[in-house]
Amino acid sequence: PLFNLRGEVVGINSQIYSRSGGYQGVSFAIPIDVAMDVGSQLQANGHVTRGRLGVGIQELDQALAKSFGLDRPRGALVASVEPGGPAAAAGVQEGDVILSFNGRAVDSAGTLPATVAATKPGRDIELEVWRDRASRKLSVKLGGAEAAEVVADAGTPARGRLGLRVRPTSKGEAGDADSARGLVVEEATGPAAAAGIQPGDVVLSANGRPVRNVEDLRAVVKDSKEIVALLVQRGSARIFVPVELA
């Protein structure tokens, strides 16, 4: 058990990090309210259920917040939406920023998973999301976690305000459902490279607008003044990357 200074159990130690191999170091604990909830569910039902929203999320930094028109970094940025999942059925989209969950403010992406997991599956909850520089409300019926199993033409040197040389995706490069979507990065220099864009990344959208060809990406860059938020597929993960334009 993990005790506080009043002798109360506040967690169950589960891991420890120690450079010496001894017990003096940093420990990691399961919060006691989570442990008590698991214990109660096991006693009552013989199994544990957790709420599931069906989205992949990431934190917003100042640059991303600015690109989406937010006054400051807050909320959870939706990087992917599970096809057929609860969020998809409610109309949640990639690029939405979840600002509140059932009336409870989401200050950062890290607070959302625990809040969703602690909510009973099947409940109708209200999401406040930020989309197109405005707030809107969506109603979502939670699922259960236990049921879830510089732009340039291809072939030319990387140039432009982004510093990217790209080509259309071939089948499977952006995932089976997105075989006709996105642009594969062949070379990244300048602003794109500085932001962390890598060869092999697949650019799926820019500033919330789908990218299916070079012209789509070029149009977004032309309309942007300082920052372009690129939704990138990297392996099995999707992340938003803010690129400060040259």
Side-chain angles (χ1 to χ4, degrees):
L2 176 67
F3 296 95
N4 63 15
L5 293 177
R6 294 190 295 272
E8 300 165 331
V9 177
V10 294
I12 304 297
N13 290 308
S14 58
Q15 299 180 62
I16 188 169
Y17 173 79
S18 174
R19 302 183 68 177
S20 65
Y23 289 101
Q24 294 78 28
V26 178
S27 62
F28 303 88
I30 300 168
I32 193 60
D33 55 346
V34 174
M36 294 294 289
D37 178 62
V38 168
S40 298
Q41 290 195 51
L42 288 174
Q43 286 180 315
N45 308 313
H47 64 276
V48 177
T49 59
R50 297 185 184 279
R52 178 174 59 89
L53 193 54
V55 294
I57 58 174
Q58 70 178 83
E59 294 283 2
L60 283 94
D61 57 18
Q62 186 63 48
L64 276 174
K66 185 176 181 179
S67 72
F68 286 106
L70 285 167
D71 56 344
R72 57 184 174 83
R74 56 191 175 102
L77 175 58
V78 177
S80 62
V81 180
E82 175 190 314
V92 177
Q93 301 176 8
E94 294 171 353
D96 286 349
V97 179
I98 299 175
L99 299 178
S100 71
F101 179 90
N102 224 26
R104 181 175 178 180
V106 177
D107 295 323
S108 65
T111 63
L112 184 61
T115 303
V116 174
T119 306
K120 186 177 180 180
R123 281 192 59 186
D124 290 317
I125 60 95
E126 184 180 77
L127 287 182
E128 180 188 2
V129 302
W130 183 263
R131 182 189 302 169
D132 297 331
R133 299 176 179 264
S135 174
R136 64 182 67 193
K137 302 291 180 65
L138 299 174
S139 179
V140 181
K141 181 181 287 292
L142 282 190
E146 76 282 359
E149 301 268 312
V150 169
V151 182
D153 292 321
T156 64
R159 288 185 174 86
R161 299 176 69 198
L162 277 177
L164 289 179
R165 180 158 58 90
V166 296
R167 62 171 174 80
T169 58
S170 58
K171 187 175 181 180
E173 284 183 308
D176 294 337
D178 297 306
S179 58
R181 178 187 176 193
L183 297 170
V184 178
V185 175
E186 293 195 322
E187 184 180 355
T189 62
I197 301 294
Q198 305 170 8
D201 287 347
V202 179
V203 179
L204 300 177
S205 71
N207 284 354
R209 291 160 59 179
V211 171
R212 294 181 173 84
N213 50 52
V214 172
E215 287 69 30
D216 288 344
L217 185 53
R218 191 176 278 133
V220 174
V221 173
K222 182 179 179 181
D223 293 340
S224 302
K225 295 181 179 180
E226 298 179 21
I227 298 173
V228 172
L230 300 180
L231 177 60
V232 171
Q233 180 88 32
R234 181 174 297 165
S236 60
R238 290 185 180 184
I239 57 173
F240 278 94
V241 179
V243 180
E244 295 187 9
L245 299 175

